Amino acid sequence: MANSAQARKRARQNDKQRARNAALRSTLRTAIKKVQKAVLAGDKAAAQTVFGESMKAIDSIADKRIIHKNKASRHKSRLSSAVKAMA
């Protein structure tokens, strides 16, 4: 347990930041799932629209260093390939 005022404040800040990071990671997973769902549904127009929105979300989360930029790039590449492969 935190004994000093400084340590108590850091503990409070850490709790807030952990909650924020968890929410952003959840947003990332949701964005990825939306594109995958659109691809499975077979609607290319909808998949492209959702893909564009998801790219913004992925880039934003990577800019905030919630995930590494290379991981963000890997997700974007795989989603892009899936959308382009649609007939």
Side-chain angles (χ1 to χ4, degrees), residues 7-27 29 65-66:
R8 285 191 294 272
K9 180 177 179 181
R10 284 304 306 172
R12 284 194 311 269
Q13 290 175 330
N14 290 340
D15 287 341
K16 278 185 176 179
Q17 194 58 48
R18 187 168 46 252
R20 180 70 180 141
N21 289 347
L24 288 171
R25 275 192 297 274
S26 176
T27 302
R29 292 187 195 111
R65 297 183 180 165
I66 305 301

Side-chain angles (χ1 to χ4, degrees), residues 6-71:
Q6 177 184 6
R8 285 191 294 272
K9 180 177 179 181
R10 284 304 306 172
R12 284 194 311 269
Q13 290 175 330
N14 290 340
D15 287 341
K16 278 185 176 179
Q17 194 58 48
R18 187 168 46 252
R20 180 70 180 141
N21 289 347
L24 288 171
R25 275 192 297 274
S26 176
T27 302
L28 170 74
R29 292 187 195 111
T30 302
I32 292 168
K33 287 177 192 174
K34 280 183 182 178
V35 177
Q36 291 172 340
K37 186 176 178 182
V39 168
L40 286 175
D43 187 357
K44 188 165 186 171
Q48 288 175 330
T49 303
V50 174
F51 176 73
E53 296 166 3
S54 294
M55 291 309 96
K56 284 178 65 175
I58 292 171
D59 285 334
S60 171
I61 290 167
D63 288 343
K64 293 173 186 167
R65 297 183 180 165
I66 305 301
I67 61 169
H68 195 274
K69 61 184 171 123
N70 291 356
K71 181 175 181 175

